[in-house]
Amino acid sequence: MTVRRPVRKISATKDVRRPDALAAEEPLEIRVGGKALAVTMRTPGNDVELAHGFLLSEGVLTSREDVAVARYCDGVDDQGRNTYNVLDIALAEGVAPPETGVERNFYTTSSCGVCGKAALDAVRLRSRFSPEKSEFTVGTDVLAKLPDTLRAHQKVFSSTGGLHAAALFDGDGNLAVVREDVGRHNAVDKVLGWALQEGRIPAADTGLLVSGRASFELVQKAAMAGIGLLAAVSAPSSLAAELAEENGMTLIGFLRGDSMNLYSGEQRVLGLGG
């Protein structure tokens, strides 16, 4: 997940050359039934989870039984070695493949996973697992401790300073899973893919925590997994807040220390004043 590169470190008192750890970033092509569907720039690792989470958030998968097999295929470098950058998902019998009626540029960068959607309406996917039905609750005291807990689990971030993180947590603040990636949407897909493979979708009994901002896309991904609460260390976008409210979700932003902004879904946050 890291690559060592030489660097010249310059400051007011020093000018030294030394090796530096960088977060790895490589393309991953996701295929379904041998047909190319998406290319995303990601940090290698947990690729099968990433693909499962991506297909869950696109409305293709609802359970682990929907996938017959996931395998790396013919991505090779100039020496004929497998790059492990092409992953093919074979769907189980009776599972409908991704719809082709909506035009989409499936190339996604590490910073934005829905940039290629043809129209805003195309990304307002309706989840088969209504997040509004989630009875998950968590106290403000628990929420306040989550960013530090997440940072303690970000092993690659500690050495590179260049990765986003996502986690699922319970009402006591315990983290069920943590994943890191150069792309915030990839980190979330890896977490949701883990939950799908563990038979924990819908994930109505957990909250989703992200280390950066809360975008429209991350709210949508949470909704597609039946998650009722999304907490972000940084700001939400206006569309993220709008979508969270439409879906009956709790959206928290600027979760830092003992302060936070609550944009929707007050009923899931315990310990609020009048």
Side-chain angles (χ1 to χ4, degrees):
M1 295 179 69
T2 62
V3 177
R4 303 288 287 182
R5 297 279 298 183
V7 63
R8 183 174 178 179
K9 185 171 179 62
I10 302 168
S11 69
T13 58
K14 286 193 235 178
D15 185 345
V16 296
R17 298 179 187 272
R18 69 179 191 186
D20 191 28
L22 302 179
E25 182 176 29
E26 295 182 12
L28 176 69
E29 179 180 315
I30 299 173
R31 299 178 181 175
V32 175
K35 183 178 179 180
L37 177 66
V39 177
T40 186
M41 301 302 296
R42 97 302 190 192
T43 300
N46 307 109
D47 290 336
V48 174
E49 291 177 353
L50 192 162
H52 277 67
F54 174 78
L55 293 174
L56 168 68
S57 65
E58 290 295 317
V60 178
L61 305 180
T62 58
S63 73
R64 57 188 171 189
E65 287 76 21
D66 290 342
V67 175
V69 65
R71 65 182 181 88
Y72 289 102
C73 45
D74 56 357
V76 296
D77 61 18
D78 55 6
Q79 298 181 23
R81 295 174 298 195
N82 198 321
T83 61
Y84 298 98
N85 285 340
V86 181
L87 186 69
D88 190 21
I89 302 293
L91 300 177
E93 185 177 353
V95 177
E99 294 182 9
T100 58
V102 177
E103 293 182 6
R104 179 175 180 182
N105 170 10
F106 276 100
Y107 173 77
T108 65
T109 70
S110 56
S111 61
C112 177
V114 295
C115 303
K117 288 285 192 180
L120 186 60
D121 286 345
V123 295
R124 290 184 183 271
L125 300 174
R126 290 299 175 187
S127 175
R128 302 181 207 184
F129 313 114
S130 172
E132 189 172 14
K133 296 179 180 179
S134 169
E135 298 180 356
F136 177 76
T137 58
V138 62
T140 54
D141 56 334
V142 173
L143 286 166
K145 298 174 183 177
L146 284 175
D148 288 341
T149 303
L150 179 63
R151 179 62 61 87
H153 285 78
Q154 290 182 252
K155 296 179 180 179
V156 182
F157 180 89
S158 298
S159 61
T160 67
L163 288 181
H164 295 281
L168 291 178
F169 62 93
D170 65 18
D172 295 321
N174 301 308
L175 304 187
V177 59
V178 177
R179 293 290 182 263
E180 294 181 278
D181 201 278
V182 289
R184 61 176 60 88
H185 64 284
N186 289 334
V188 171
D189 278 342
K190 289 177 179 181
V191 163
L192 299 185
W194 174 87
L196 189 75
Q197 290 182 307
E198 292 293 316
R200 297 183 61 165
I201 297 295
D205 59 345
T206 62
L208 175 64
L209 174 67
V210 295
S211 62
R213 64 184 178 86
S215 64
F216 175 95
E217 179 194 20
L218 299 194
V219 173
Q220 177 190 289
K221 288 180 180 294
M224 294 298 286
I227 295 171
L229 185 148
L230 170 61
V233 172
S234 193
S237 68
S238 61
L239 279 177
E242 180 183 322
L243 186 65
E245 188 171 31
E246 284 181 5
N247 283 275
M249 295 173 61
T250 300
L251 179 62
I252 297 167
F254 294 106
L255 179 59
R256 300 169 184 174
D258 59 359
S259 69
M260 64 196 77
N261 288 357
L262 180 55
Y263 295 90
S264 62
E266 293 184 3
Q267 74 276 11
R268 295 191 182 89
V269 181
L270 307 177
L272 296 175

